[in-house]
Amino acid sequence: MSVLTMSKALAQAMYEEMERDPNVVVLGEEVGAQGGTYGVTAGLFEKFGKDRVRDTPISEGVIVGAAVGAAMNGLRPVAEIMGINFAFLAMDQIVNHAAKIHSMFGGQFRCPLVVRTTSGGGKQLAATHSQTPDVIFAHFPGLKVVAPSTPAEAKALLKASIRTDDPVFFIEHSTMYSERGEVSDDPNFLLPIGKSDIKRKGKDVTIVTYSKMVSISLKAAAELEKEGIDVEIIDLRSLRPLDLDPVFESFKKTNRAVIVEEGWKTFGIGAEVASRIYEECFDYLDAPIERVAQKEVPLPYSAELERAAIPQVKDVIAAVKKVL
Amino acid sequence: MDKAEYVELYKQMVIIRLIEEKCEELYQKSKIGGFMHLYIGQEASGVGAISARLPQDNVITAYRDHGIAIACGMDPKVLMAEMLGKVTGCCKGKGGSMHLADINLRFWGGHAIVGAHLALATGLAWADKQKGSDGVTLCFFGDGASNIGYFHESLNLAAVWKLPVLFICENNHYGMWTPIEDASAVTDIRKKALGYDIPSDVCDGMDLLAVRKASEKAIAHIRSGKGPFFLEVMTYRYRGHSMGDQRPYRTADEIKDWQTKDPIGKFEPVMMKSGITKEQIESIHAESSKIVEEAVRFAEESPFPPMEELYTDIYVENQ
C-alpha cells in the first residue's frame, strides 16, 4: 500500500494498464507533454510516447468519435474530456454510438472505451463549468457509469474500466484530485464495476450516496454520532449498473433513508433510488425518504451563493434528523 | 481491369438496383419498417470505389447503405433478412435498413446520425496506423453531411494526425429535400477539404470506371503514407431522400436528365467494346434476378428473433 492523491492513483491505473496492454492508448486535450489539465495523465507521455498518449484538437465530438472507432478496431482508448460540461459536445458519440455499437449491430462490434471526465461544482467556475449532470449519462443502457469516492477505488475501478469490453463513462470529482488515501500497489487489484460498497456501518438511518458526497456524508455521520445517531452509508460507486441490493438490505434494517447527491433533485439519482426502495421495501418504511441535492438553480460564481446551492454537511444532518 | 472484373462489377450494380427495387416493393407492403434510403442511381459510386480496396481496407458509410453493403461483399440473403427484421440478418434483426454491417468484410456500418461516422472513420484509421497495418479507411457520406461539425472536426483531426482515411463525398445534390446551393456555402464540396490542406479530386459518379480510377489513385496516395484524401463523386439519387418522400423539390426533367447517364446503362457499351456479348449481359440480369429472388425467399422463410434476443448484446460483460 502507498498513500497517494486521487490524481496520482488515477495516473497509476493508466500507467499500469498501458504497461500491461499495448492496445491501451490515451487521448484528449493537453494529455500529452502537459500531463493533463488536472495533471492526471502526468508521466504517461514520457513513458509511452506521443503515439500512445495523444494530444487532440479542442474537438470533443471527434475525440470521443475517434475513440469509439479505434475501440471498434482493436484499441482500448482512454479519452479524457476536460469537464463533464464539455461532454455534452460529445453526447452524440457517447449515447448514440459508444452505448449502441455492440447491441445495434447484433453483437459484432465491441467498444472497449473509457471516457474520463470531471464533474462537480465548488470551484467558482459559474454555471456552465460547475454542473453535476452525472445522472444524465446513467440513463442509457449499453453504457457503464462509474464515479469513485476514494483514491484506492479510483485506481481499482479505472483499471477495471480499461479492462472491460464495454464503454465506461468514468466520472472524477474536480475538487477531489488532491485528496489522499491508501492505494494498493498490486497491479492486478481491481474492483468489479457495478458493486455498491458500505462505507460506514450503522443501524438508525441509511444514507445512499456516491462520489464527493460520500465524504460529506461521512462528516455528517461523525457529527450525528455525537448525538447518538448511528448512520449507515452506502456508496453506489457506479450509477449504471446500479447495485441496490445492499441498499435494500440496509433499509430493511434501518427503515429510514436519505439519498445525497450533488446534482439537482429533479429527475435525479435520489428520485430513482427512492422509487426503487418504495417498490422493494414498502412494508419496511417508517418515514418518507429524504433527498439532499443541489438547489434548482444554475450555479452562480460568487462563492457564498455557490456554497448555498451545493449540499453541505449541515444539509445531510438536517435530512437525517427529519427521517428519524 | 479485365473482362471478368467488368462482369463482376456490372453484376454488383445490377444486384444493387434489383435489391433496391425489391426493398421498395417490400416497404410498400409493410414488410420492411422504419426509415429506408435507396441507392438507386448511385450504384457506380459505391461499387467503383470499393472495388479499388484491398482486404485490409475498411469501409464505413451513412444510412444509405444497402449498395455499399453489397459492394463490400455482403450476401444478399443476409441483407434482405436484416431488412425484414429476421434473426438471420447481418445484425440479427437489431439494426435494420440504416445499420447494415459485417465485421468479417471490414464493413463497419451503416450509421444514421448524419456526419457522426466521419469521426468513427478517423478512429478506425488511427487503430490501423497504431497497429502497423497499411489499411485505408473508405468513408462514404453525402453532401449534406459536409455542413455538420463532425465533418470539420474529423477532416481536421485526420489531417493533423495524418490518418489513412479516404473521405468519399457522394454528392447527390440534395441534403434531404434541400438543394445543395441552399444549404452549403460552397457547392463543390471538395473545396472544404482545402481548408484542412487535404488533397482532393472529383469524378463522374455515374461512370464506374471513372470512380474506380479516381479511387485507385486516392487509395495509393493514402497508402503511401501521405495522410487523408478527399474524393468528391458527382452522382444522383433517382428516388427521394427516404421512402415516402414524394415532395416536389425536383423536376421530372431533372430526374430524367440524370437517368440518361444511368451508371448501369452507361457501362454496357464499355463491356461490349471489351468483347462481352449482349447475351452475356442478359444472362447477368437473369442470374441477378434469381439471386435477389432467392434472397427474398430466404428472408421471408427465416424466423424473427426469439424474445430472448431482447436482452442479448447490451453489454459484453455482466450479462
Side-chain angles (χ1 to χ4, degrees), chain A residues 24-39:
Chain A
V24 178
V25 291
V26 169
L27 72 160
E29 295 157 16
E30 316 296 359
V31 297
Q34 306 303 319
T37 48
Y38 287 97

Side-chain angles (χ1 to χ4, degrees), chain A residues 14-27:
Chain A
M14 285 183 276
Y15 189 99
E16 288 174 6
E17 292 308 300
M18 291 182 84
E19 223 172 18
R20 176 180 172 270
D21 181 350
N23 288 321
V24 178
V25 291
V26 169
L27 72 160

Side-chain angles (χ1 to χ4, degrees), chain A residues 205-208 251 256-261 265 270-271 273-274 277-278 285 287-293 315-324:
Chain A
V205 177
T206 302
I207 290 182
V208 185
F251 188 81
R256 296 159 204 279
V258 173
I259 300 146
V260 185
E261 65 190 302
K265 184 185 284 185
V273 174
I277 294 173
Y278 288 131
L285 198 69
I289 296 166
E290 273 295 306
R291 290 182 279 161
V292 178
D315 302 315
V316 179
I317 291 172
V320 167
K321 288 185 173 168
K322 202 168 168 193
V323 299
L324 276 172

Side-chain angles (χ1 to χ4, degrees), chain A residues 25-28 31 63-64 67-68 76-82 113-117 168 170:
Chain A
V25 291
V26 169
L27 72 160
V31 297
I63 291 172
V64 180
V68 171
R76 305 184 82 83
V78 181
E80 179 175 304
I81 296 293
M82 205 196 296
L113 157 73
V114 183
V115 177
R116 286 184 41 247
T117 195
V168 179
F170 193 92

Side-chain angles (χ1 to χ4, degrees), chain B residues 94-147:
Chain B
K94 291 185 177 179
S97 162
M98 301 190 287
H99 310 108
L100 304 175
D102 188 335
I103 193 169
N104 296 316
L105 301 170
R106 299 194 78 81
F107 171 43
W108 302 88
H111 297 269
I113 304 288
V114 173
H117 72 286
L118 277 78
L120 301 187
T122 65
L124 294 172
W126 174 35
D128 278 343
K129 192 174 174 178
Q130 190 72 20
K131 290 185 292 181
S133 159
D134 71 345
V136 171
T137 296
L138 280 63
C139 176
F140 292 86
F141 54 93
D143 46 287
S146 74
N147 300 318

Side-chain angles (χ1 to χ4, degrees), chain A residues 16 152-153 155-157 159-160 163 184-191:
Chain A
E16 288 174 6
E153 294 176 356
K155 181 182 174 187
L157 284 167
K159 286 167 73 79
R163 289 193 201 182
S184 171
D185 299 319
D186 176 1
N188 283 314
F189 177 71
L190 271 64
L191 282 172

Side-chain angles (χ1 to χ4, degrees), chain B residues 267-281:
Chain B
F267 195 53
E268 284 164 10
V270 179
M271 293 169 77
M272 287 167 79
K273 221 170 143 190
S274 80
I276 297 164
T277 64
K278 201 158 177 57
E279 290 69 40
Q280 281 172 302
I281 291 174

